[in-house]
Amino acid sequence: MKSLKLLFAAALICVSINAQEIFINSDSTAAAFINKQIYFPFDNIGNIGRLNIPPYGTDVKYDQISTIFSAGFWLSGYSDSTLWVCSSERESLGHDYLPGLVGSDPNDSKNIIYIVKKDDPAFGNSWHKWKYAVEQGAYFYDGDGNGIYDPIDHNGNGIWEPNEDRPDLLYDATFFTAYNDGVPSENRRWKDTFPLGIEVRQTIFVSNSNNFLEDVVFIRYSILYEGYGDASEPDTLTDVIFSITNDPDIGAHYDDKIGCDTSLHAGYSYNDGDDDVFGINPPSLFRVIVQGPLVKSDDENDAGYNRMGPFLGEHKFDNHKNLGLTAYVGRLNADIHNPYPWEVSYARNYAEGYQYDGNLVDPCSFPYGELLGGVNCEQVNPLMWFSGDPVTSIGWIFSRNGNIFDVTSTGKFDLIKNQPVDIIIAYIIGRGTDHLNSITRAREITRYVHEEYERNFSTLVSVENKQEELPAQFNLSQNYPNPFNPTTKIKFSIPSPTSPLSKGGMQGGLTNVSLIVYDILGREVKTLLNEVKAPGTYEITFDASRLASGVYFYRLTSGHYSQTKKMILIR
């Protein structure tokens, strides 16, 4: 049951919801939530951590122990030939963002953090307050198709239905805020940079639906170059790089190590053995590029995506691709080889995977790393620092430990005026039986996150570690609602590979599954799924907004297994 109380001493509102608690300061410009083991504080200008939100303090925590001191992001690129960098994280000596949209009053009472939760009443206060979030660029589900967010209960039954608007609510809780790079040059982190008219619409979403997602925080950054209307400003900011910046303090701050996993598009931190605070099993912290920026591709077979969840849908872009992890660097505090990024050029060089002075690292001789397992250093990508595997002791491994700061970067893209670019990242914390097993656990969660993205955030209803708790047989459920207009949900189950009913495609616990919609004449209408999946229970949303009323069939196929059910679309 939800409870609401006001903490007068801290001028803070605390909302308890299911396994989550949400804390909001008195003017709603900073907030924090607890999602199972994760405590995550943030504000309305892009900062994560170093925010005093009682009663749990300033840092991102896991199991109530500090894990991230400060985090955020850099944007860097060129305005004509001028290099610029914008910073959001408080680890720096300043920040470059103001609350609200470009040109707005930063003190406007609407420049706050907007929150909507799964168990908020449909068409209630939080749904109506989302109007102000929409004014600042928040997304919404346009049920009545008129292009305007207006959460009206058209059917008068107090229950949301697909022909009615709703907020961009993904998972159990969604948080939205917007900010812009309007801080004057003299007050910016790098004094020789200047405002460009860039807006960032930030959406955080969290879930405690299963034992993977409870250790994940998703952030969508929708980045828009609006400019200030000056005739001299360019129409496009070129060679832009988005970089996740992070100052991890996993328990004790002085014994952290770093690395990157190129296959998972992640930079990560872990402990050098036992930790003085966490003990024998300190967690590992991953920063993951889930959906990188869209760019045009030279390969006509490529396709890029902007996946926005079951309600807002999936948008496919032919002849495009999403850029993933392209560079990763890390530095120790007081590092004589790679100092603090005092200058704009230092930050940009780090974002591109270089040392501060623009020189490439030589994996053969870099004093903070070593090559293990017989790997030829000349074949190691020097832009992906410490890309080896500490668990198996193979590859380029970080050989020191200490107080770390690292930068996880995408490839280069352009910001064209009034064309938003959506980037999704995830903070993932895995805790295993020791410091290296925590890396393994965080990798398991990261793989699940990438799968979750591929199915457009249609969460596995139940995912457990125990084999016997996985489904015992294939099952295709009746869609709901049925009849429907225009969306419906289809749930299906894939059995454990040890089940006698799993025969028909299982390969090491995975199986190729297809889910296809047909019309009454047997013609294929839509392929909802055709890929390898792990055992579990899945749910997919089918959007039939472009189809005519009538009877349709959907068929689940895997190897020798096949099942078909009927559904009815009514306009």
Side-chain angles (χ1 to χ4, degrees):
M1 176 178 291
K2 184 172 69 173
S3 65
L4 186 67
K5 61 183 179 178
L6 184 64
L7 304 180
F8 291 98
L12 199 77
I13 296 174
C14 173
V15 179
S16 298
I17 169 175
N18 299 326
Q20 296 170 327
E21 287 185 281
I22 297 174
F23 305 90
I24 315 154
N25 70 354
S26 57
D27 59 4
S28 296
T29 60
F33 57 81
I34 296 175
N35 191 62
K36 291 296 181 69
Q37 289 91 351
I38 293 178
Y39 168 76
F40 200 86
F42 59 98
D43 65 13
N44 66 338
I45 53 173
N47 297 304
I48 298 168
R50 293 195 73 182
L51 296 162
N52 188 18
I53 302 178
Y56 294 106
T58 63
D59 299 347
V60 175
K61 294 180 170 62
Y62 190 79
D63 286 342
Q64 300 183 357
I65 299 174
S66 293
T67 306
I68 300 175
F69 177 68
S70 174
F73 67 94
W74 292 344
L75 279 176
S76 62
Y78 287 89
S79 175
D80 291 329
S81 59
T82 302
L83 174 65
W84 56 269
V85 183
C86 294
S87 170
S88 73
E89 31 80 26
R90 287 180 178 268
E91 192 269 348
S92 64
L93 300 181
H95 58 81
D96 303 324
Y97 292 98
L98 295 174
L101 303 182
V102 169
S104 69
D105 179 359
N107 298 313
D108 191 316
S109 61
K110 293 180 181 178
N111 294 336
I112 60 173
I113 297 169
Y114 294 90
I115 304 171
V116 61
K117 304 180 294 297
K118 182 175 67 175
D119 66 348
D120 286 345
F123 314 108
N125 183 55
S126 68
W127 283 38
H128 282 279
K129 284 185 69 175
W130 198 257
K131 291 180 181 178
Y132 303 116
V134 170
E135 290 176 2
Q136 299 200 6
Y139 293 126
F140 65 95
Y141 173 80
D142 188 11
D144 54 19
N146 66 358
I148 300 171
Y149 177 66
D150 199 0
I152 297 174
D153 186 6
H154 294 298
N155 304 318
N157 58 5
I159 301 173
W160 176 82
E161 297 186 46
N163 66 333
E164 298 163 336
D165 293 359
R166 60 177 290 152
D168 177 23
L169 172 58
L170 188 57
Y171 295 141
D172 295 303
T174 295
F175 307 81
F176 174 85
T177 194
Y179 42 94
N180 72 92
D181 70 330
V183 172
S185 297
E186 61 271 19
N187 297 327
R188 296 172 75 90
R189 176 176 182 176
W190 294 284
K191 309 304 181 187
D192 52 349
T193 61
F194 50 89
L196 295 167
I198 297 174
E199 292 175 357
V200 180
R201 293 91 178 267
Q202 174 185 293
T203 308
I204 297 176
F205 39 102
V206 289
S207 170
N208 52 36
S209 298
N210 61 46
N211 65 334
F212 286 132
L213 290 180
E214 67 188 27
D215 288 329
V216 180
V217 176
F218 290 97
I219 306 180
R220 181 202 296 133
Y221 296 100
S222 185
I223 304 166
L224 179 69
Y225 169 45
E226 185 172 296
Y228 292 102
D230 190 323
S232 64
E233 64 190 20
D235 291 330
T236 302
L237 303 177
T238 58
D239 291 337
V240 179
I241 297 175
F242 178 91
S243 304
I244 308 168
T245 56
N246 187 69
D247 182 353
D249 286 345
I250 303 174
H253 70 276
Y254 44 76
D255 58 355
D256 294 339
K257 306 187 78 169
I258 52 174
C260 71
D261 191 318
T262 58
S263 67
L264 296 176
H265 300 280
Y268 62 91
S269 314
Y270 61 105
N271 247 84
D272 185 16
D274 297 351
D275 181 73
D276 288 346
V277 184
F278 273 108
I280 63 173
N281 62 336
S284 178
L285 168 66
F286 274 51
R287 282 80 64 194
V288 182
I289 299 169
V290 179
Q291 175 181 284
L294 270 170
V295 297
K296 289 184 177 180
S297 172
D298 295 330
D299 187 342
E300 62 181 13
N301 296 315
D302 277 344
Y305 294 89
N306 188 10
R307 293 186 168 110
M308 307 178 73
F311 291 104
L312 274 65
E314 173 188 280
H315 304 277
K316 181 180 178 182
F317 300 84
D318 292 329
N319 304 121
H320 284 71
K321 61 182 178 180
N322 295 96
L323 298 175
L325 176 69
T326 305
Y328 174 82
V329 306
R331 52 175 295 276
L332 289 164
N333 190 30
D335 187 343
I336 60 172
H337 294 278
N338 285 288
Y340 184 89
W342 297 109
E343 299 181 13
V344 170
S345 62
Y346 292 11
R348 177 65 177 196
N349 287 332
Y350 288 151
E352 294 196 54
Y354 297 103
Q355 299 186 79
Y356 81 101
D357 56 6
N359 290 318
L360 278 173
V361 165
D362 183 356
C364 300
S365 60
F366 191 50
Y368 293 150
E370 57 184 335
L371 271 294
L372 302 178
V375 174
N376 183 348
C377 64
E378 294 181 356
Q379 297 177 344
V380 175
N381 184 347
L383 302 179
M384 304 284 196
W385 296 17
F386 316 121
S387 57
D389 185 357
V391 178
T392 60
S393 294
I394 296 176
W396 189 14
I397 308 296
F398 188 64
S399 58
R400 306 292 182 93
N401 64 55
N403 187 7
I404 302 296
F405 178 84
D406 66 357
V407 182
T408 305
S409 300
T410 70
K412 298 175 183 177
F413 60 99
D414 290 342
L415 277 177
I416 303 170
K417 269 192 179 179
N418 302 314
Q419 295 185 22
V421 174
D422 285 3
I423 295 170
I424 301 173
I425 70 168
Y427 288 89
I428 294 172
I429 303 177
R431 192 174 191 187
T433 56
D434 58 41
H435 69 295
L436 294 180
N437 184 251
S438 291
I439 297 175
T440 300
R441 175 57 182 167
R443 283 176 172 152
E444 291 173 351
I445 300 170
T446 302
R447 292 187 187 97
Y448 179 89
V449 162
H450 284 301
E451 292 175 1
E452 178 79 348
Y453 171 74
E454 290 292 327
R455 58 179 171 258
N456 194 23
F457 303 101
S458 294
T459 304
L460 283 171
V461 176
S462 177
V463 178
E464 301 293 339
N465 289 324
K466 298 180 181 179
Q467 183 67 55
E468 61 269 24
E469 296 183 5
L470 292 169
Q473 62 183 10
F474 282 102
N475 182 63
L476 178 63
S477 300
Q478 185 62 52
N479 64 301
Y480 179 82
N482 188 42
F484 67 99
N485 177 26
T487 62
T488 188
K489 294 182 180 295
I490 300 172
K491 185 185 295 185
F492 62 94
S493 298
I494 302 171
S496 158
T498 61
S499 167
L501 300 175
S502 69
K503 305 305 181 185
M506 284 295 194
Q507 299 289 332
L510 301 177
T511 181
N512 190 79
V513 179
S514 68
L515 182 61
I516 300 175
V517 178
Y518 300 88
D519 65 15
I520 198 168
L521 298 178
R523 296 174 298 194
E524 183 175 325
V525 171
K526 175 76 172 179
T527 297
L528 300 177
L529 182 73
N530 186 16
E531 60 186 68
V532 172
K533 307 300 291 184
T537 301
Y538 297 80
E539 188 174 76
I540 287 181
T541 297
F542 172 44
D543 185 348
S545 56
R546 296 185 178 183
L547 299 179
S549 298
V551 175
Y552 294 86
F553 298 90
Y554 57 100
R555 178 181 298 160
L556 180 70
T557 304
S558 180
H560 301 302
Y561 172 84
S562 180
Q563 187 176 3
T564 302
K565 289 185 179 291
K566 180 174 71 174
M567 58 184 170
I568 301 173
L569 172 62
I570 296 178
R571 293 295 188 185

